[in-house]
Short mmCIF file of all heavy atoms in Angstrom, two decimals:
data_model
loop_
_atom_site.label_atom_id
_atom_site.label_comp_id
_atom_site.label_asym_id
_atom_site.label_seq_id
_atom_site.Cartn_x
_atom_site.Cartn_y
_atom_site.Cartn_z
N LEU U 487 297.19 128.33 131.65
CA LEU U 487 295.88 127.77 132.02
C LEU U 487 295.36 128.28 133.34
O LEU U 487 294.19 128.54 133.49
CB LEU U 487 295.96 126.24 132.08
CG LEU U 487 296.03 125.52 130.75
CD1 LEU U 487 296.18 124.03 130.98
CD2 LEU U 487 294.81 125.80 129.90
N GLY U 488 296.23 128.43 134.31
CA GLY U 488 295.78 128.80 135.64
C GLY U 488 295.55 130.29 135.83
O GLY U 488 295.22 130.73 136.91
N THR U 489 295.72 131.09 134.77
CA THR U 489 295.64 132.53 134.95
C THR U 489 294.29 133.11 134.58
O THR U 489 294.08 134.30 134.71
CB THR U 489 296.71 133.24 134.11
OG1 THR U 489 296.49 132.94 132.74
CG2 THR U 489 298.10 132.81 134.54
N ARG U 490 293.37 132.33 134.09
CA ARG U 490 292.07 132.86 133.68
C ARG U 490 291.23 133.15 134.91
O ARG U 490 291.38 132.54 135.95
CB ARG U 490 291.38 131.89 132.74
CG ARG U 490 292.26 131.72 131.48
CD ARG U 490 291.66 130.94 130.38
NE ARG U 490 290.42 131.41 129.84
CZ ARG U 490 290.29 132.30 128.86
NH1 ARG U 490 291.34 132.88 128.37
NH2 ARG U 490 289.11 132.61 128.38
N THR U 491 290.33 134.11 134.75
CA THR U 491 289.47 134.52 135.86
C THR U 491 288.04 134.63 135.36
O THR U 491 287.79 134.61 134.15
CB THR U 491 289.97 135.85 136.47
OG1 THR U 491 289.20 136.14 137.62
CG2 THR U 491 289.85 136.99 135.48
N HIS U 492 287.09 134.74 136.25
CA HIS U 492 285.68 134.83 135.88
C HIS U 492 285.23 136.29 135.89
O HIS U 492 285.61 137.05 136.77
CB HIS U 492 284.82 134.02 136.85
CG HIS U 492 285.08 132.55 136.74
ND1 HIS U 492 285.98 131.90 137.56
CD2 HIS U 492 284.59 131.62 135.91
CE1 HIS U 492 286.02 130.63 137.23
NE2 HIS U 492 285.18 130.43 136.22
N ALA U 493 284.40 136.64 134.90
CA ALA U 493 283.88 138.00 134.81
C ALA U 493 282.54 137.97 134.08
O ALA U 493 282.22 137.01 133.37
CB ALA U 493 284.86 138.90 134.06
N THR U 494 281.77 139.02 134.27
CA THR U 494 280.47 139.15 133.60
C THR U 494 280.69 139.80 132.23
O THR U 494 281.40 140.80 132.11
CB THR U 494 279.51 140.01 134.45
OG1 THR U 494 279.41 139.42 135.73
CG2 THR U 494 278.14 140.08 133.82
N VAL U 495 280.08 139.19 131.21
CA VAL U 495 280.19 139.71 129.85
C VAL U 495 278.79 139.93 129.27
O VAL U 495 277.81 139.36 129.73
CB VAL U 495 280.98 138.74 128.93
CG1 VAL U 495 282.42 138.61 129.40
CG2 VAL U 495 280.32 137.38 128.86
N ARG U 496 278.75 140.77 128.21
CA ARG U 496 277.50 141.05 127.51
C ARG U 496 277.72 140.73 126.03
O ARG U 496 278.77 141.05 125.46
CB ARG U 496 277.13 142.53 127.68
CG ARG U 496 275.84 142.94 127.00
CD ARG U 496 275.51 144.42 127.20
NE ARG U 496 276.55 145.27 126.60
CZ ARG U 496 277.32 146.11 127.28
NH1 ARG U 496 277.18 146.26 128.57
NH2 ARG U 496 278.23 146.84 126.66
N TRP U 497 276.74 140.07 125.41
CA TRP U 497 276.84 139.74 123.99
C TRP U 497 275.46 139.84 123.36
O TRP U 497 274.45 139.89 124.06
CB TRP U 497 277.44 138.36 123.78
CG TRP U 497 276.52 137.23 124.12
CD1 TRP U 497 275.76 136.51 123.25
CD2 TRP U 497 276.25 136.67 125.41
NE1 TRP U 497 275.04 135.55 123.92
CE2 TRP U 497 275.33 135.63 125.25
CE3 TRP U 497 276.70 136.96 126.69
CZ2 TRP U 497 274.84 134.88 126.31
CZ3 TRP U 497 276.22 136.22 127.76
CH2 TRP U 497 275.31 135.19 127.57
N THR U 498 275.43 139.88 122.06
CA THR U 498 274.17 139.93 121.32
C THR U 498 273.86 138.53 120.81
O THR U 498 274.68 137.91 120.10
CB THR U 498 274.26 140.92 120.15
OG1 THR U 498 274.64 142.19 120.66
CG2 THR U 498 272.93 141.04 119.44
N ALA U 499 272.69 138.01 121.18
CA ALA U 499 272.29 136.67 120.79
C ALA U 499 271.84 136.67 119.32
O ALA U 499 271.66 137.73 118.70
CB ALA U 499 271.15 136.19 121.68
N ALA U 500 271.66 135.48 118.76
CA ALA U 500 271.26 135.34 117.36
C ALA U 500 269.91 136.00 117.09
O ALA U 500 269.65 136.47 115.97
CB ALA U 500 271.20 133.86 116.99
N ASP U 501 269.04 136.07 118.12
CA ASP U 501 267.72 136.70 117.93
C ASP U 501 267.78 138.22 118.07
O ASP U 501 266.75 138.90 118.01
CB ASP U 501 266.70 136.10 118.90
CG ASP U 501 267.07 136.32 120.35
OD1 ASP U 501 268.06 137.03 120.64
OD2 ASP U 501 266.36 135.77 121.22
N GLY U 502 268.97 138.78 118.29
CA GLY U 502 269.14 140.22 118.37
C GLY U 502 269.05 140.79 119.78
O GLY U 502 269.30 141.98 119.99
N ARG U 503 268.70 139.97 120.77
CA ARG U 503 268.59 140.45 122.16
C ARG U 503 269.97 140.48 122.81
O ARG U 503 270.82 139.65 122.53
CB ARG U 503 267.65 139.56 122.97
CG ARG U 503 266.22 139.66 122.47
CD ARG U 503 265.24 139.01 123.40
NE ARG U 503 265.62 137.64 123.71
CZ ARG U 503 264.87 136.82 124.43
NH1 ARG U 503 263.72 137.23 124.92
NH2 ARG U 503 265.26 135.59 124.66
N THR U 504 270.14 141.44 123.70
CA THR U 504 271.38 141.56 124.46
C THR U 504 271.27 140.68 125.70
O THR U 504 270.27 140.74 126.42
CB THR U 504 271.64 143.02 124.86
OG1 THR U 504 271.71 143.80 123.67
CG2 THR U 504 272.94 143.15 125.62
N ARG U 505 272.32 139.91 125.93
CA ARG U 505 272.34 139.00 127.10
C ARG U 505 273.61 139.22 127.89
O ARG U 505 274.62 139.70 127.35
CB ARG U 505 272.25 137.55 126.64
CG ARG U 505 270.96 137.27 125.92
CD ARG U 505 270.75 135.82 125.80
NE ARG U 505 269.49 135.57 125.14
CZ ARG U 505 269.08 134.39 124.78
NH1 ARG U 505 269.83 133.34 125.02
NH2 ARG U 505 267.93 134.24 124.19
N THR U 506 273.57 138.84 129.16
CA THR U 506 274.76 138.90 130.02
C THR U 506 274.92 137.58 130.73
O THR U 506 273.95 136.84 130.93
CB THR U 506 274.66 140.03 131.07
OG1 THR U 506 273.52 139.79 131.88
CG2 THR U 506 274.57 141.39 130.41
N GLY U 507 276.14 137.30 131.12
CA GLY U 507 276.43 136.08 131.87
C GLY U 507 277.88 136.07 132.32
O GLY U 507 278.69 136.90 131.92
N MET U 508 278.21 135.08 133.17
CA MET U 508 279.55 134.94 133.74
C MET U 508 280.30 133.87 132.95
O MET U 508 279.77 132.80 132.68
CB MET U 508 279.43 134.53 135.21
CG MET U 508 280.74 134.37 135.91
SD MET U 508 281.45 135.89 136.51
CE MET U 508 280.35 136.35 137.81
N THR U 509 281.54 134.18 132.58
CA THR U 509 282.39 133.22 131.88
C THR U 509 283.85 133.49 132.25
O THR U 509 284.14 134.45 132.96
CB THR U 509 282.20 133.30 130.35
OG1 THR U 509 282.87 132.20 129.74
CG2 THR U 509 282.70 134.61 129.78
N THR U 510 284.75 132.64 131.77
CA THR U 510 286.17 132.85 132.05
C THR U 510 286.75 133.80 131.01
O THR U 510 286.37 133.75 129.84
CB THR U 510 286.95 131.52 132.00
OG1 THR U 510 286.72 130.90 130.75
CG2 THR U 510 286.55 130.60 133.11
N VAL U 511 287.64 134.65 131.46
CA VAL U 511 288.30 135.61 130.57
C VAL U 511 289.78 135.65 130.90
O VAL U 511 290.21 135.24 131.98
CB VAL U 511 287.70 137.04 130.71
CG1 VAL U 511 286.24 137.06 130.27
CG2 VAL U 511 287.85 137.58 132.10
N ALA U 512 290.55 136.14 129.95
CA ALA U 512 291.99 136.28 130.16
C ALA U 512 292.26 137.38 131.19
O ALA U 512 291.48 138.32 131.31
CB ALA U 512 292.68 136.60 128.84
N PRO U 513 293.35 137.29 131.92
CA PRO U 513 293.67 138.34 132.89
C PRO U 513 294.07 139.63 132.17
O PRO U 513 294.46 139.62 131.01
CB PRO U 513 294.84 137.74 133.67
CG PRO U 513 295.48 136.79 132.72
CD PRO U 513 294.36 136.24 131.89
N GLY U 514 293.96 140.70 132.87
CA GLY U 514 294.39 141.98 132.32
C GLY U 514 293.29 142.74 131.58
O GLY U 514 293.49 143.87 131.18
N LEU U 515 292.16 142.09 131.35
CA LEU U 515 291.06 142.78 130.68
C LEU U 515 290.32 143.66 131.68
O LEU U 515 290.27 143.37 132.86
CB LEU U 515 290.09 141.77 130.05
CG LEU U 515 290.65 140.92 128.92
CD1 LEU U 515 289.60 139.92 128.45
CD2 LEU U 515 291.13 141.78 127.77
N ARG U 516 289.72 144.72 131.18
CA ARG U 516 288.96 145.66 132.02
C ARG U 516 287.58 145.83 131.43
O ARG U 516 287.32 145.45 130.28
CB ARG U 516 289.67 147.03 132.08
CG ARG U 516 291.04 146.97 132.69
CD ARG U 516 290.94 146.77 134.20
NE ARG U 516 292.23 146.47 134.76
CZ ARG U 516 292.49 145.36 135.41
NH1 ARG U 516 291.59 144.45 135.58
NH2 ARG U 516 293.68 145.15 135.94
N ALA U 517 286.70 146.46 132.17
CA ALA U 517 285.35 146.72 131.70
C ALA U 517 285.41 147.47 130.38
O ALA U 517 286.19 148.40 130.21
CB ALA U 517 284.57 147.53 132.74
N GLY U 518 284.61 147.00 129.40
CA GLY U 518 284.58 147.61 128.08
C GLY U 518 285.47 146.91 127.07
O GLY U 518 285.32 147.12 125.87
#
Side-chain angles (χ1 to χ4, degrees):
L487 286 177
T489 61
R490 298 188 59 87
T491 186
H492 294 94
T494 304
V495 295
R496 181 180 63 243
W497 74 98
T498 303
D501 61 6
R503 294 191 307 185
T504 301
R505 298 194 179 173
T506 60
M508 181 82 69
T509 190
T510 55
V511 296
L515 295 177
R516 299 286 169 240

